[in-house]
Amino acid sequence: MAERRLRSAASVAGTVAAVYLSARLVTTLFFWAAASLSGPTSRFGADATIPSLAMGWDAQWYWVIADRGYPSELPVNDTGQVAENAWAFMPLFPVLARTLGAVLGGYPMGAVVLALVAGYAASVVLFVLLRGRLGETASLWAVVLFANGPLAALFQMGYAESLLLVWLFLALWALQRRRFGWIYPLVVLMGFTRPGVLAFALLLGLYGIHRWMRRRVDPLPTPHIVHIIALGALATIVGFAWQVIAGVATGDPSAYLETELAWRRSWVGSEEQFVPFAGFVQASSLWFGIWGLPPMLGPIALAVLVLGAAALLVRAPQVRRLGPEIRLWGASYLVYLLAVFFPQSSVFRLLLPLTPVVAAVAVPPSRWWRIGMLVLCLGGQWLWIHEMLALGDTFYRIP
């Protein structure tokens, strides 16, 4: 039995590796083309290279953290408000990348290799997470679309997204199988890799309610109740821990929140304060105005999108096949984004944690449907790389 499981695991790892490596070759070609097209108006200049693209934008912030740590005194702008600084970024990725870079010859190499390996690990776990619900073929296609997706360039950049996805997919897998003990360390790892663990706390609350309502057909033993409550409490504590750490380190209790608002204030003005759920409403009006459309239509379009997403999570048969854990995660993460985020051009990157939900597009068995989805993914990937890296010259080209 153990030998059979080992052979099965090796087969999965090998198959996913073939998919992932072929996808990375395509992305490398896209990077080469983007470096060739980069011009003097691009952030990367006319002499851009694949390594410079891989360490662009937020990858620089992680490099600063690895090299200098976090500021003990918050920087301020000309109006005296907190300016953009490293406290907006969590420490686990730069610490691991610096450690790996010490072996590989420098932080940039360590950061890219860490993102690359984490992307492969996330692909393997995604396959295992989906296989029990979708079957092997659909799950493998989901991995194909994930590895070649519009945001797949992040697997070859010094960003923390792929590392977060490893912890998230493992935590969802453990929740599916009710191996609650595994989730405790994963919650901590998620919380110090990227913001968003509060969405997992909401997931645990909704999951507990779901299990309680179904307790007559799906028994809910006391140990499970204890684990769900304890994990929810831990995720909540971890979700606010970075704010406390930043406050203690800088002497300013609002250090983290003011740092996050520094990015938003460049869009909406210096008097901006955090109000839950206000960011998306403000941004919808702002973006409609930028597009030359009546700003009043923005909130209406936002409401339609939210209702449409809710309908898909509740009613779409392809999504229902994913199981309650993944569907509840989708709902929790969308609520979290709506509550705390101000959507800019980076919103697409922040949607990556919804990958297990989006895997529903791999469910229809039609080969042409799946090939069509792959073509769309590759087209979206080139568009993202072209806009954010080859051009990268204005506010809506910031990844």
Side-chain angles (χ1 to χ4, degrees), residues 281 284-289 291-304:
V281 176
S284 63
S285 297
L286 180 64
W287 277 107
F288 266 63
W291 295 332
L293 300 171
M296 57 183 285
L297 295 180
I300 297 173
L302 175 63
V304 172

Side-chain angles (χ1 to χ4, degrees), residues 234-256:
L234 176 63
T236 303
I237 292 169
V238 172
F240 287 104
W242 193 242
Q243 297 186 37
V244 175
I245 292 170
V248 171
T250 62
D252 183 351
S254 63
Y256 177 72

Side-chain angles (χ1 to χ4, degrees), residues 11-203:
S11 176
V12 168
T15 301
V16 173
V19 168
Y20 187 74
L21 290 175
S22 63
R24 301 286 62 77
L25 288 175
V26 172
T27 301
T28 301
L29 289 175
F30 286 166
F31 267 66
W32 174 81
S36 302
L37 292 171
S38 182
T41 61
S42 167
R43 178 184 178 92
F44 299 94
D47 57 348
T49 63
I50 291 177
S52 69
L53 298 182
M55 289 301 297
W57 297 109
D58 284 358
Q60 292 289 311
W61 281 111
Y62 288 115
W63 196 352
V64 166
I65 294 166
D67 188 47
R68 294 180 242 164
Y70 294 90
S72 58
E73 184 175 339
L74 293 172
V76 296
N77 58 24
D78 294 339
T79 63
Q81 291 180 311
V82 174
E84 299 169 358
N85 67 85
W87 282 109
F89 302 87
M90 303 301 173
L92 185 58
F93 181 86
V95 168
L96 293 178
R98 182 181 61 190
T99 303
L100 190 58
V103 178
L104 297 178
Y107 177 84
M109 181 63 73
V112 173
V113 169
L114 177 58
L116 189 66
V117 173
Y120 168 66
S123 299
V124 172
V125 181
L126 179 64
F127 176 83
V128 175
L129 172 67
L130 298 173
R131 180 173 54 179
R133 291 285 182 174
L134 304 185
E136 297 214 356
T137 301
S139 299
L140 185 59
W141 268 101
V143 171
V144 170
L145 300 179
F146 171 63
N148 291 280
L151 278 297
L154 295 175
F155 301 145
Q156 293 173 228
M157 297 178 69
Y159 274 61
E161 267 71 14
S162 56
L163 187 62
L164 172 68
L165 294 181
V166 176
W167 314 138
L168 173 62
F169 295 171
L170 281 171
L172 290 173
W173 174 85
L175 190 63
Q176 272 186 346
R177 286 152 182 79
R178 300 175 184 179
R179 298 183 180 181
F180 297 104
W182 288 46
I183 304 177
Y184 289 92
L186 290 168
V187 162
V188 178
L189 291 169
M190 280 191 285
F192 289 98
T193 300
R194 285 277 302 149
V197 74
L198 288 175
F200 202 83
L202 177 57
L203 162 65

